[in-house]
Amino acid sequence: MRIGIDKMAFATTNDYLDLVELAKERGVDPNKFTIGIGQDLQAVVPPTQDIVTLGATAAKKLLTPELEKNISTVIVATESGIDNSKASAIYIKHLLGLSDFTRTVEMKEACYSATAAIQFAKGVVALNPQETVLVIAADIARYGLNTPGEVTQGAGAVAMLISRNPHILTLEDTTVAYSKDIMDFWRPLYATEALVDGKYSTNVYIEFFLQTFTRYQQLTGRELADFAALTFHMPFTKMGKKGLEGLLKDRNDEVAQQLRTQLTASQLFSRQVGNLYTGSLYLSLMSLLQNSDLRAGSRIGLFSYGSGAEGEFYTGILEDGYEHYMNNIQEELKHRHQVSVAEYEKLFSSQLGMNDRDIEFDVTNDPLPFVLKGQRDHQRIYEAK
């Protein structure tokens, strides 16, 4: 039985910041951001949006009344959880109007957990082929104003339907997971911004990719020529390049050039949105599929990484007509609203965060279909517009 990704959709906020403008404001050479880090634009989050609203917005793009009947499970992968107990999947299930006979859970392991969610979803479908699992990777990456990590912030959600006979990508059986207790990035319960050792984290990322890919080759006997493309978790797009070049080294043959070309295609959307944490790998997959000419039957490798640390390398085979089962991301990104650096700083500081007070937000100008209206009696209030 073929099991894999049947449909995909992406959602982000309506506001963005031009990183050239941020560089000028911070007194930094813009090339450090646009070339050195590999980022051009960054999603800016108004207080009326969080992982629940973004996740629900992405999922809504996938669903039809017929598909909703088959969804047995909703899994939300995030490191931007809004509650230490209650799963964000429950809020999203309610906003989407899904049946109460639906399993809802939230998963965490830094940026990696969406991959674990997909593997678990594959198991659910294998046991119950008539069921579909909705997997949502939703995150808001925050490092603080005027910090070294500020340029690698971002926000958004990728929603995926995992089912039998998928229309986008059939997942192959061999996967390689690899984990170590490493302090390269973490966020204590009392903090709204992450702590990170950036250079160390990059080195760990490359090590984990090489370890998992080498193990995969040992298990399967496959070579680089067996892949049409490799996709990477991209907290910033230069990270994916570092991973690929760590593997290719000085190779400049036709296979290596093909992989480099496809990497560029996979970076395009991340350059315009920023870091999605759990959703970054899957936005890069969507970017690859919408900005390249890959054919049905192509094998795509996916490297997932989450600090702390865990990595996984796995593969999928592209299905015929895959391009018809995703929303057109580039077209949607054209309609966003640019904010100034001052506006971005104000919005950044207006997030609900760990505030315990009652608060009500003005949702009038938020065009997304789901909004966070505020907080009352320690409960977040959501609305479907």
Side-chain angles (χ1 to χ4, degrees), residues 19-63:
L19 293 180
V20 171
E21 297 301 316
L22 180 65
K24 293 176 181 178
E25 182 68 25
R26 300 292 185 248
V28 174
D29 181 353
N31 288 336
K32 182 178 180 180
F33 291 174
T34 59
I35 298 175
I37 300 295
Q39 297 299 125
D40 296 322
L41 308 176
Q42 183 178 106
V44 174
V45 186
T48 49
Q49 292 296 320
D50 66 6
I51 61 164
V52 168
T53 59
L54 292 170
T57 297
K60 184 179 180 181
K61 298 176 183 182
L62 298 176
L63 300 182

Side-chain angles (χ1 to χ4, degrees), residues 9 15 31 39 77 83 89 117 123 130 140 144 147 160 184 186 203 215 222 228 273-274 278 281 285 327-328 340 361:
D15 297 325
N31 288 336
Q39 297 299 125
D83 191 286
Q130 75 283 2
I140 296 172
T147 63
M160 298 168 276
D184 60 329
W186 68 103
N203 291 337
R215 178 65 173 161
R222 292 183 181 131
V273 177
T278 54
L281 169 60
L285 175 61
N327 65 310
N328 187 327
S340 66
F361 296 129

Side-chain angles (χ1 to χ4, degrees), residues 63-273:
L63 300 182
T64 65
E66 190 61 33
L67 286 173
E68 290 175 9
K69 296 176 184 177
N70 297 326
I71 294 176
S72 68
T73 304
V74 178
I75 308 175
V76 174
T78 187
E79 56 179 285
S80 310
I82 60 168
D83 191 286
N84 286 329
S85 175
K86 186 174 180 178
S88 53
I90 294 180
Y91 293 101
I92 291 176
K93 181 225 105 176
H94 173 72
L95 288 173
L96 295 174
L98 298 178
S99 167
D100 287 344
F101 293 100
T102 303
R103 182 185 298 110
T104 52
V105 291
E106 180 174 313
M107 298 183 62
K108 179 178 72 178
E109 182 3 66
C111 302
Y112 161 77
S113 60
T115 298
I118 288 173
Q119 300 297 351
F120 295 166
K122 183 180 177 182
V124 170
V125 176
L127 290 171
N128 304 282
Q130 75 283 2
E131 295 183 4
T132 296
V133 179
L134 172 59
V135 173
I136 300 171
D139 267 303
I140 296 172
R142 288 172 60 95
Y143 294 97
L145 300 175
N146 207 8
T147 63
E150 184 177 30
V151 68
T152 62
Q153 297 178 142
V158 176
M160 298 168 276
L161 294 179
I162 310 301
S163 72
R164 64 176 177 174
N165 302 325
H167 287 101
I168 296 179
L169 196 71
T170 292
L171 302 180
E172 296 188 288
D173 290 336
T174 303
T175 71
V176 178
Y178 185 79
S179 61
K180 285 185 176 182
D181 185 1
I182 290 173
M183 298 302 289
D184 60 329
F185 171 108
W186 68 103
R187 183 167 67 84
L189 290 176
Y190 52 78
T192 57
E193 283 81 47
L195 303 172
V196 60
D197 184 338
K199 185 172 292 187
Y200 179 43
S201 189
T202 298
N203 291 337
V204 173
Y205 173 102
I206 296 170
E207 175 199 346
F208 275 44
F209 170 56
L210 296 178
Q211 289 280 5
T212 55
F213 186 78
T214 299
R215 178 65 173 161
Y216 175 87
Q217 288 186 300
Q218 293 169 347
L219 294 173
T220 64
R222 292 183 181 131
E223 301 294 335
L224 277 177
D226 294 312
F227 293 89
L230 298 176
T231 54
F232 293 82
H233 164 59
M234 291 187 196
F236 53 94
T237 63
K238 196 66 173 287
M239 185 79 97
K241 179 177 175 60
K242 289 176 181 290
L244 181 61
E245 294 304 329
L247 177 66
L248 296 179
K249 301 187 184 302
D250 296 327
R251 281 188 62 165
N252 201 32
D253 53 39
E254 184 177 348
V255 171
Q257 287 303 320
Q258 164 76 1
L259 293 176
R260 290 185 175 104
T261 297
Q262 301 299 4
L263 176 71
T264 299
S266 74
Q267 293 172 319
L268 294 178
F269 293 156
S270 294
R271 291 190 71 97
Q272 300 177 64
V273 177

